[in-house]
Amino acid sequence: EADIYQTPRYLVIGTGKKITLECSQTMGHDKMYWYQQDPGMELHLIHYSYGVNSTEKGDLSSESTVSRIRTEHFPLTLESARPSHTSQYLCASSEWENYGYTFGSGTRLTVV
Amino acid sequence: GQSLEQPSEVTAVEGAIVQINCTYQTSGFYGLSWYQQHDGGAPTFLSYNGLDGLEETGRFSSFLSRSDSYGYLLLQELQMKDSASYFCAVGSTLGRLYFGRGTQLTVWP
């Protein structure tokens, strides 16, 4: 059973559209993360948060923004989607730094 | 910066033992973790080594040598369901994980 939920599971959108990927967790974790993963490749950190009203950019912040208004919710917004944004986006949370991340099932985004 | 090296793929038969190695270079080290990811699924946490030595969890064991910047994941009594990608990840001074490219394990009957 998942304690961290991502919606939508799959999304196909046109270039230039604004989209928000949702991520919610029920574990009360302060730390949350967004990763981007292409097939067969490593996970790249996009954004992270250590608590409410705390957000930081990762290595691939690439025209995206996040917000953390509530502990359980950490949405990712792409202001203007491009084909280069086609990828899988994984949300994770953890109680401790560097240890024991719980990942959501991901959103597979295709920008056409 | 951070870099992690692990083999791209490994194959083995059911019941066998397989070892997946991971070497890393990091400016700050806060432990080595392993994650399993089935095709299309979420990565799931397997193990963590903060100190040198072996950690055992059922059929899986993980080892760390900080002086060699090296670790491995050992999978015993392989089952078909173990076919998946396995990622090593190192913790950093910023409390973030850096992941390797993953090792695709295929278990044959």
Side-chain angles (χ1 to χ4, degrees), chain A residues 9-10 33 35 37 40-43 45 48 50 57-59 88 90 97-106 108, chain B residues 30-31 33 35 37 39-45 47-48 87 90-102:
Chain A
R9 187 72 176 90
Y10 300 93
Y33 312 85
Y35 281 88
Q37 183 185 30
M41 300 296 286
E42 66 265 54
L43 286 72
L45 183 67
Y48 60 104
Y50 285 161
K57 292 188 175 184
D59 303 317
Q88 173 164 253
L90 292 162
E97 293 177 357
N98 297 316
Y99 172 81
Y101 286 15
T102 300
F103 282 87
S105 296
R108 290 188 182 271
Chain B
Y30 287 84
S33 300
Y35 287 79
Q37 185 180 33
D39 276 350
T44 56
F45 171 72
S47 68
Y48 172 82
F87 294 85
V90 293
S92 71
T93 53
L94 295 175
R96 301 157 41 168
L97 284 186
Y98 290 89
F99 287 82
R101 289 197 168 193

Side-chain angles (χ1 to χ4, degrees), chain A residues 13-26:
Chain A
I13 62 166
T15 298
K17 298 293 186 182
K18 177 180 179 179
I19 57 169
T20 295
L21 308 184
E22 300 290 345
C23 176
S24 294
Q25 51 100 0
T26 59

Side-chain angles (χ1 to χ4, degrees), chain A residues 83-95:
Chain A
S84 60
H85 292 139
T86 295
S87 189
Q88 173 164 253
Y89 292 83
L90 292 162
C91 181
S93 71
S94 67
E95 184 174 354

Side-chain angles (χ1 to χ4, degrees), chain B residues 49-62:
Chain B
N49 293 75
L51 301 174
D52 292 350
L54 191 68
E55 295 286 340
E56 297 179 79
T57 308
R59 296 186 296 115
F60 295 178
S61 304
S62 58

Side-chain angles (χ1 to χ4, degrees), chain A residues 1-64:
Chain A
E1 62 289 339
D3 295 311
I4 182 163
Y5 305 92
Q6 290 187 243
T7 57
R9 187 72 176 90
Y10 300 93
L11 180 62
V12 180
I13 62 166
T15 298
K17 298 293 186 182
K18 177 180 179 179
I19 57 169
T20 295
L21 308 184
E22 300 290 345
C23 176
S24 294
Q25 51 100 0
T26 59
M27 296 170 284
H29 290 165
D30 285 328
K31 299 167 184 59
M32 296 190 74
Y33 312 85
W34 275 103
Y35 281 88
Q36 182 177 340
Q37 183 185 30
D38 292 324
M41 300 296 286
E42 66 265 54
L43 286 72
H44 291 284
L45 183 67
I46 311 172
H47 293 278
Y48 60 104
S49 168
Y50 285 161
V52 171
N53 295 326
S54 150
T55 61
E56 299 289 341
K57 292 188 175 184
D59 303 317
L60 277 186
S61 47
S62 64
E63 300 97 34
S64 61

